[in-house]
């Protein structure tokens, strides 16, 4: 891996290779492309936009962007929601090229945490003078996550949310309503054994959530949110409870008071190993990493990646307040 000049801006002639997921985010892909080209070309910078129409081609397109960036001393940029940013970051990590983002999603926790504007033109302009900063990355087995990884109820909530978005559009209100509908249904409980930093405990829970994003954890009132900047991840598990009790926790989280609730177990760790409880027939878990759903074989190992992601951070006068 190449050594990056952390804390410095990229070269003034470094080209930008932008992976744009046209099926992701709030904005029209052609409009986003036009904005980015206008900003980059207006500043005399080379830019190539690699559009992805089918999510199955996202990884291949990201690899192509990395190849181009390494050959030409350029920057790889992900334009899309947290899932798109995750997929491109998975390819960039360890390759020695800087990584930028143009947030296009509903919540944009990753971009907001690092002061990156949700406005495409402002975010593109900020890339021109951004500095390289190493950012902590979480790993679930071989999968990277920037914001969170989870199993149980939370992946189901994400699947339901996408269904509601297709019907009613992308908004935080639609996401909240979808969440209410999901938690009110009955759900299969997880019977798991967790080994946390050398200590083992058994747990029956509806969901296990692991966070790597301070802003998201702060927004629901988890006091250990600062631990994700100190080489640790934060786990959250809900005790076995009724749908009505979970609805109460959903609103408690919306009021930023989830931490400290009697039915919430929260803890920070360097490594967490999750297995089905002895005697369980299934060894497969449905998991979510930054909103992308997949199945994984146990054991599930959550940890901080050995390498950090070389993220382009806007200069101080262009950083946005966390909202």
């Amino acid at each position: 891996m190449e050594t990056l000049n952390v804390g410095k801006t990229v070269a003034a002639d470094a080209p930008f290779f932008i992976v744009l997921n046209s099926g992701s985010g709030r904005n029209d892909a052609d409009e986003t492309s036009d904005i980015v080209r206008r900003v980059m070309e207006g500043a005399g910078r080379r830019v190539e936009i690699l559009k992805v129409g089918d999510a199955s081609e996202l990884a291949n397109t990201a690899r192509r962007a990395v190849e181009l960036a390494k050959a030409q001393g350029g920057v790889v940029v992900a334009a899309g929601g947290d899932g798109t940013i995750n997929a491109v970051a998975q390819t960039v990590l360890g390759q020695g090229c800087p990584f930028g983002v143009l947030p296009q999603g509903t919540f944009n926790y990753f971009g907001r945490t690092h002061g990156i504007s949700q406005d495409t033109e402002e975010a593109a302009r900020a890339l021109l003078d951004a500095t390289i900063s190493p950012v902590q990355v979480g790993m679930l087995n071989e999968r990277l996550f920037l914001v969170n990884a989870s199993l149980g109820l939370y992946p189901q909530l994400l699947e339901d949310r996408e269904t509601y978005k297709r019907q009613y559009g992308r908004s935080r209100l639609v996401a909240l309503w979808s969440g209410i509908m999901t938690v009110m249904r009955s759900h299969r409980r997880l019977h798991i054994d967790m080994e946390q930093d050398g200590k083992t405990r058994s747990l029956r829970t509806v969901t296990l959530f692991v966070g790597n994003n301070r802003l998201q954890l702060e927004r629901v009132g988890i006091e250990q949110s600062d631990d994700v900047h100190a080489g640790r991840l934060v786990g959250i598990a809900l005790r076995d409870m009724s749908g009505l009790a979970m609805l109460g926790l959903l609103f408690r989280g919306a009021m930023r008071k989830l931490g400290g609730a009697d039915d919430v177990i929260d803890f920070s760790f360097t490594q967490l190993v999750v297995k089905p409880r002895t005697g369980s027939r299934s060894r497969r878990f449905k998991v979510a990493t930054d909103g992308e759903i997949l199945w994984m074989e146990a054991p599930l190992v959550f940890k901080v990646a050995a390498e950090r992601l070389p993220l382009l951070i806007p200069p101080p006068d262009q950083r946005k307040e966390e909202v």
Side-chain angles (χ1 to χ4, degrees), residues 300-322:
L300 303 181
V301 181
F302 299 85
K303 63 182 180 181
V304 175
E307 297 181 78
R308 293 198 164 215
L309 188 68
L311 181 68
L312 289 184
I313 301 288
D317 62 341
Q318 296 184 52
R319 289 177 195 167
K320 295 299 176 181
E321 295 278 337
E322 296 175 351

Side-chain angles (χ1 to χ4, degrees), residues 108-271:
N108 297 317
Y109 282 117
F110 183 71
R112 288 160 60 200
T113 296
H114 299 290
I116 300 169
S117 175
Q118 298 181 73
D119 178 83
T120 300
E121 183 167 350
E122 290 183 357
R125 291 190 185 284
L127 288 173
L128 298 170
D129 300 310
T131 55
I132 299 170
S133 178
V135 171
Q136 176 173 299
V137 172
M139 298 296 295
L140 169 52
N141 292 359
E142 76 283 359
R143 294 279 299 191
L144 167 156
F145 62 96
L146 301 173
V147 180
N148 61 60
S150 59
L151 57 149
L153 175 62
Y154 195 76
Q156 185 61 54
L157 187 151
L158 295 174
E159 285 189 323
D160 292 347
R161 189 174 75 188
E162 287 306 307
T163 299
Y164 272 77
K165 284 179 179 180
R166 286 193 292 270
Q167 294 177 344
Y168 304 110
R170 292 180 177 271
S171 75
R172 296 185 187 184
L173 184 60
V174 169
L176 176 60
W177 178 250
S178 170
I180 292 172
M181 295 296 100
T182 301
V183 301
M184 289 304 293
R185 298 200 303 269
S186 60
H187 298 279
R188 184 174 69 88
R189 271 51 179 169
L190 298 171
H191 299 261
I192 56 177
D193 290 327
M194 300 192 307
E195 183 181 327
Q196 174 198 340
D197 298 336
K199 298 179 181 179
T200 302
R201 74 165 102 175
S202 295
L203 184 67
R204 183 179 179 185
T205 180
V206 292
T207 196
L208 173 65
F209 175 98
V210 174
N212 183 50
N213 183 273
R214 176 183 52 78
L215 179 61
Q216 185 181 43
L217 294 168
E218 283 181 351
R219 289 298 184 265
V220 295
I222 299 298
E223 294 181 357
Q224 299 182 80
S225 58
D226 283 341
D227 285 359
V228 299
H229 288 300
R232 299 177 73 82
L233 301 169
V234 174
I236 304 170
L238 306 183
R239 300 185 192 278
D240 194 4
M241 67 185 75
S242 68
L244 189 60
M246 282 192 287
L247 183 61
L249 286 180
L250 182 66
F251 282 101
R252 187 180 177 107
M255 298 296 292
R256 305 187 182 187
K257 296 181 179 180
L258 190 63
D262 292 339
D263 291 320
V264 175
I265 303 168
D266 58 285
F267 53 95
S268 72
F269 62 89
T270 56
Q271 178 170 293

Side-chain angles (χ1 to χ4, degrees), residues 253-291:
M255 298 296 292
R256 305 187 182 187
K257 296 181 179 180
L258 190 63
D262 292 339
D263 291 320
V264 175
I265 303 168
D266 58 285
F267 53 95
S268 72
F269 62 89
T270 56
Q271 178 170 293
L272 179 71
V273 180
V274 177
K275 302 177 183 178
R277 189 171 298 176
T278 303
S280 298
R281 286 181 292 179
S282 175
R283 296 192 60 80
R284 298 178 75 229
F285 290 103
K286 181 189 284 188
V287 303
T289 55
D290 292 344

